[in-house]
Amino acid sequence: CPCLIYGAYIFLPFDAPLLPTISARLVYTLRCAAFATFPIVLGMIVSGISRLCSSALEPFGELHQEVEIHRTYVSQSIHLFILYFFNMAVLATYLPQELLKLIPLLTGLFAISRLIFWMSYAISRSFRAFGFSMTFLPLLAMLLWNLYGIFVLEPENLLS
């Protein structure tokens, strides 16, 4: 993940717009996070179609494995997206202007890693660790950086 983010940061030809205020940074993060919902919405559509086409006699009865895979993916993705979004919002308040390019890159990494997780989870449950680690390790890094920023960089602004 660090190599992927670093390569995208160096070689992709775009820069973040000038965002001098915290509210502008939060709106930018919110707009970027809208793209991270694409794999979740796609999972909901596929989950609904698989439930509709399921051979179960009772729609609210026990789910078949093909339906359970999509339902579990959507549920886990929603939980991870909430954690990812809040960490990105806090991260956007601490990053200097030249590093705000990381916000859309982290959003893209989230979306791609959730799709990789979904495909590997559908193939075999033993292969899902790669996609999950591509989602969870950047989340953990953002959390650690946010805690460092809150308690070390700006401890005087902890409650304000």
Side-chain angles (χ1 to χ4, degrees):
C1 287
C3 294
L4 186 65
I5 291 292
Y6 179 75
Y9 184 82
I10 296 297
F11 294 115
L12 287 178
F14 75 92
D15 288 323
L18 184 61
L19 302 168
T21 64
I22 291 178
S23 61
R25 289 172 180 235
L26 291 176
V27 168
Y28 181 67
T29 304
L30 184 65
R31 288 179 180 170
C32 288
F35 291 102
T37 61
F38 171 74
I40 298 170
V41 171
L42 185 64
M44 287 178 175
I45 292 170
V46 171
S47 177
I49 291 172
S50 67
R51 185 174 280 237
L52 182 67
C53 296
S54 174
S55 60
L57 294 176
E58 289 191 32
F60 297 109
E62 190 173 322
L63 299 176
H64 292 289
Q65 182 180 1
E66 63 270 4
V67 177
E68 185 67 29
I69 286 173
H70 304 304
R71 189 191 63 80
T72 303
Y73 163 75
V74 169
S75 174
Q76 290 177 356
S77 294
I78 289 171
H79 296 143
L80 283 170
F81 173 75
I82 291 168
L83 292 172
Y84 217 82
F85 173 71
F86 281 121
N87 275 291
M88 273 198 327
V90 172
L91 183 68
T93 63
Y94 286 107
L95 285 178
Q97 176 63 41
E98 59 271 4
L99 293 178
L100 282 177
K101 185 178 179 179
L102 287 174
I103 299 297
L105 293 178
L106 287 169
T107 302
L109 179 67
F110 177 82
I112 290 169
S113 63
R114 291 316 296 165
L115 290 173
I116 290 172
F117 172 79
W118 190 18
M119 288 188 315
S120 62
Y121 189 55
I123 292 170
S124 172
R125 291 185 181 198
S126 61
F127 294 124
R128 64 185 175 183
F130 177 71
F132 182 77
S133 65
M134 281 184 66
T135 306
F136 184 71
L137 294 178
L139 174 65
L140 185 63
M142 283 190 294
L143 176 65
L144 292 175
W145 177 256
N146 288 338
L147 292 175
Y148 174 77
I150 289 171
F151 291 114
V152 176
L153 294 179
E154 297 183 12
E156 66 276 357
N157 295 334
L158 183 63
L159 299 175
S160 63

